[in-house]
Amino acid sequence: MSVTLIDIHANSFVTISEYEEAYDAGLMPYTITELDNSILTSLPDGLFKNCNRLEFVNLPNVEQVGSSVFYGCYNLKKIYLNKLSIIDKPRQFANLSSLSDIIVDNAEILSTATEAFLNCSSLKNIQLKCNSLVPQSAFKNCYSLKDIQILTDLSYIIGSSAFEGCSSLEEFNFVNCNEILDNAFASCKKLKEVNLMSVSLIGYRTFQDCYDLENINFGTSLKEIGAAAFRS
């Protein structure tokens, strides 16, 4: 089977099996820079691995994404996955250092998605759902992250090191957050104010080295503050 960039842009890949066949045959078009496909509904593990010239992805009907799908796509800047339902695998979008824009507004991040966006150092904003736990190191070292919206009506926990090293983050909405675990916001150097009215537990070094932190508001539900939680 002959595979070309034109094939992809023309939405000629009707099934994933055809795409995988091309990949296994060494015919994967590594020179691809844009992918706009309305046919694909799921992406199996490693599908676009090492497509290091890929810059733009628009897959409006994809609902599931496997592991390491975009591994090695170091120049990938924009990902639009409007129908993605869950982010559930470790390092699912990790180490995409050029990624500045991702739309996954309908996706819920699950506790299993540890390090989901680790080292996405160009990522500026993101909106997603969370009904239990923002996973460990989910956004660690997202240095450019300024705005994150967690959509939930339920109490949830922020996992250890979840936002550690997000040095551009200036604010975070802690509404419905029940617990913040160790190092969750460590080295968030521009974080200025935290309203922790619903928080009952603050872990070890949770806000360490948050040099610009000026205002901290606690609620009556607070029961435990870990050592060095606000040390700077």
Side-chain angles (χ1 to χ4, degrees):
M1 180 176 61
S2 176
V3 180
T4 68
L5 179 60
I6 295 175
D7 286 332
I8 297 175
H9 280 184
N11 292 332
S12 64
F13 286 107
V14 178
T15 66
I16 283 292
S17 61
E18 288 179 327
Y19 208 105
E20 289 181 313
E21 180 184 343
Y23 183 90
D24 293 341
L27 298 172
M28 190 67 187
Y30 294 107
T31 58
I32 182 175
T33 59
E34 296 185 7
L35 178 60
D36 192 338
N37 189 294
S38 60
I39 294 176
L40 299 177
T41 58
S42 64
L43 305 178
D45 296 351
L47 189 60
F48 301 111
K49 187 176 181 179
N50 294 327
C51 287
N52 54 28
R53 296 188 184 182
L54 185 62
E55 296 183 2
F56 174 78
V57 169
N58 180 34
L59 301 171
N61 290 312
V62 165
E63 297 180 5
Q64 295 181 333
V65 173
S67 298
S68 304
V69 168
F70 299 106
Y71 178 85
C73 297
Y74 301 119
N75 290 305
L76 185 55
K77 296 178 174 63
K78 296 182 179 182
I79 300 177
Y80 299 155
L81 300 170
N82 300 71
K83 287 190 177 180
L84 184 66
S85 58
I86 56 172
I87 297 171
D88 60 342
K89 298 175 179 62
R91 296 194 166 211
Q92 206 157 9
F93 298 95
N95 299 315
L96 300 178
S97 57
S98 296
L99 183 66
S100 60
D101 190 11
I102 183 169
I103 294 180
V104 287
D105 294 3
N106 293 307
E108 178 183 352
I109 191 166
L110 303 186
S111 60
T112 52
T114 55
E115 301 181 345
F117 295 91
L118 176 71
N119 297 330
C120 290
S121 54
S122 298
L123 185 64
K124 295 179 181 179
N125 56 76
I126 189 171
Q127 176 177 296
L128 41 71
K129 300 174 183 177
C130 176
N131 289 322
S132 58
L133 172 71
V134 178
Q136 176 182 338
S137 302
F139 298 93
K140 186 176 180 179
N141 296 336
C142 290
Y143 304 126
S144 301
L145 188 64
K146 291 184 176 181
D147 181 33
I148 179 163
Q149 301 294 325
I150 303 293
L151 306 179
T152 182
D153 293 325
L154 304 175
S155 295
Y156 70 99
I157 297 171
I158 297 177
S160 58
S161 298
F163 298 98
E164 182 177 355
C166 293
S167 53
S168 296
L169 190 66
E170 296 183 1
E171 59 182 2
F172 187 91
N173 188 347
F174 291 93
V175 173
N176 294 322
C177 178
N178 183 249
E179 298 181 8
I180 310 174
L181 303 186
D182 300 349
N183 298 294
F185 290 89
S187 298
C188 289
K189 299 176 182 180
K190 292 187 178 180
L191 194 64
K192 296 180 179 180
E193 182 176 357
V194 290
N195 292 301
L196 310 174
M197 304 306 291
S198 62
V199 174
S200 62
L201 182 147
I202 300 171
Y204 174 69
R205 293 183 175 178
T206 298
F207 294 96
Q208 178 175 276
D209 295 334
C210 293
Y211 300 121
D212 286 353
L213 189 59
E214 298 176 349
N215 297 313
I216 306 170
N217 299 310
F218 300 113
T220 57
S221 58
L222 184 63
K223 297 178 181 178
E224 181 179 349
I225 300 179
F230 295 94
R231 186 170 68 183
S232 62

